[in-house]
């Protein structure tokens, strides 16, 4: 990746350990930007029973059954109809 006005700009993709080994001797000159990605979240395993329990908690806090089923269905792999059926 190069910008037209920055003829010496370059992008180097590496891991932190290798970058430390390559550039710790002070040979790198100029401005650098280091982007470090954090640990990726592992998706939670959720069961239909867990989804229904979350929807039931919303209903107990005053939300309609229909709205609670829709809300939880948007956050889980389950269909609104399946959650709604279990709530009734």
């Amino acid at each position: 990746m190069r910008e037209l006005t920055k003829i010496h700009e370059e992008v180097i993709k590496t891991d932190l350990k290798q970058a430390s080994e390559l550039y710790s001797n002070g040979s790198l000159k100029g401005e650098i930007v280091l982007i470090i990605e954090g640990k990726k979240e592992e998706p939670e395993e959720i069961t239909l029973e867990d989804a229904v329990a979350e929807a039931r908690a919303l209903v107990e806090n005053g939300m309609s059954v229909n709205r609670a089923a829709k809300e939880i269905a948007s956050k889980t792999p389950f269909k609104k109809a399946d959650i709604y059926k279990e709530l009734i």
Side-chain angles (χ1 to χ4, degrees):
M1 177 171 116
R2 291 195 182 271
E3 289 186 23
L4 293 175
T5 59
K6 297 181 180 180
I7 60 173
H8 299 292
E9 181 173 292
E10 63 182 299
V11 175
I12 301 170
K13 293 184 179 184
T14 184
D15 60 33
L16 196 54
K17 181 179 180 185
Q18 185 179 9
S20 174
E21 291 170 358
L22 288 172
Y23 306 116
S24 62
N25 64 4
S27 64
L28 188 64
K29 296 191 187 230
E31 180 179 300
I32 66 166
V33 175
L34 180 63
I35 300 172
I36 301 173
E37 182 177 352
K39 181 181 176 186
K40 293 182 181 179
E41 272 191 43
E42 306 246 342
E44 288 183 32
E45 293 291 325
I46 186 166
T47 64
L48 178 59
E49 291 77 25
D50 294 335
V52 170
E54 287 183 39
R56 191 164 281 125
L58 293 176
V59 171
E60 289 171 0
N61 287 326
M63 189 177 283
S64 72
V65 173
N66 188 40
R67 179 75 179 127
K70 185 176 182 179
E71 178 87 17
I72 299 303
S74 71
K75 299 175 184 178
T76 66
F78 302 106
K79 294 180 181 177
K80 174 188 162 193
D82 294 336
I83 297 170
Y84 184 88
K85 186 170 69 172
E86 293 293 322
L87 284 173
I88 295 192

